[in-house]
Amino acid sequence: GENVEQHPSTLSVQEGDSAVIKCTYSDSASNYFPWYKQELGKRPQLIIDIRSNVGEKKDQRIAVTLNKTAKHFSLHITETQPEDSAVYFCAANLNSGYALNFGKGTSLLVTP
Amino acid sequence: ETGVTQTPRHLVMGMTNKKSLKCEQHLGHNAMYWYKQSAKKPLELMFVYSLEERVENNSVPSRFSPECPNSSHLFLHLHTLQPEDSALYLCASSQVAAVRSYNEQFFGPGTRLTVL
């Protein structure tokens, strides 16, 4: 079936460094790509999303890029801080609709 | 209460029990979702209720039965579960304008289910 692959599964960076998480998807009809952050013991929360009519979107220290031809999208976090430590999930919508397919998640650890 | 709420937050049940999970959204949304979150696995979409249709993941066993009496409430009825069904069950809601539309999904805190 349609799926979303996410890499790496774990990522450790030092405070102030950048972190990059990459995802690929297989559904050609996908046109909405959200990223969710889930802190330990808490619910997933949307941090940024991108739609297929743009190639890049930025919100302060986080940015997402999309390459529709290659079916790749990536999350970039700059100037990482310890509070960025969490599990990050990428997702792609199924068949241009409202149901989402999620990646397996990336556990990001930012060490002081 | 605001946002998406779920009860109970924790549930331990035997394989022969019948229980129900409840979700309520206070956001005025018209779509509600059930997800299963297991360790080292993607968030798995189980069921969606939206625009008067129900969409289900065909891989979900029949021992899970959803019910959506109105746009604000969603239930997941559980019966004769297996230990491998132990997981965090998350509810979410969103506002959907049409079948080919999408919007942010807001998640509840989840129910941590343990099947003995």
Side-chain angles (χ1 to χ4, degrees), chain A residues 32-35 46-51 54 57 64, chain B residues 103-104:
Chain A
Y32 174 60
F33 308 90
W35 286 87
L46 182 75
I47 54 170
I48 195 168
D49 57 18
I50 191 167
R51 297 164 194 237
V54 296
K57 183 176 178 181
V64 58
Chain B
N103 232 326
E104 178 181 357

Side-chain angles (χ1 to χ4, degrees), chain B residues 36-98:
Chain B
K36 176 183 179 182
Q37 187 174 34
S38 306
K40 299 188 179 180
K41 286 189 177 181
L43 274 163
E44 179 187 355
L45 180 64
M46 301 175 72
F47 303 100
V48 184
Y49 280 87
S50 178
L51 300 173
E52 300 182 6
E53 69 171 2
R54 174 177 131 181
V55 177
E56 58 187 84
N57 181 339
N58 292 330
S59 68
V60 175
S62 59
R63 54 187 182 266
F64 294 91
S65 174
E67 179 190 0
C68 191
N70 55 61
S71 61
S72 300
H73 295 86
L74 184 65
F75 296 89
L76 188 63
H77 303 299
L78 317 171
H79 62 98
T80 59
L81 294 192
Q82 303 298 310
E84 60 263 31
D85 296 322
S86 298
L88 181 68
Y89 288 84
L90 289 161
C91 172
S93 72
S94 71
Q95 184 62 24
V96 173

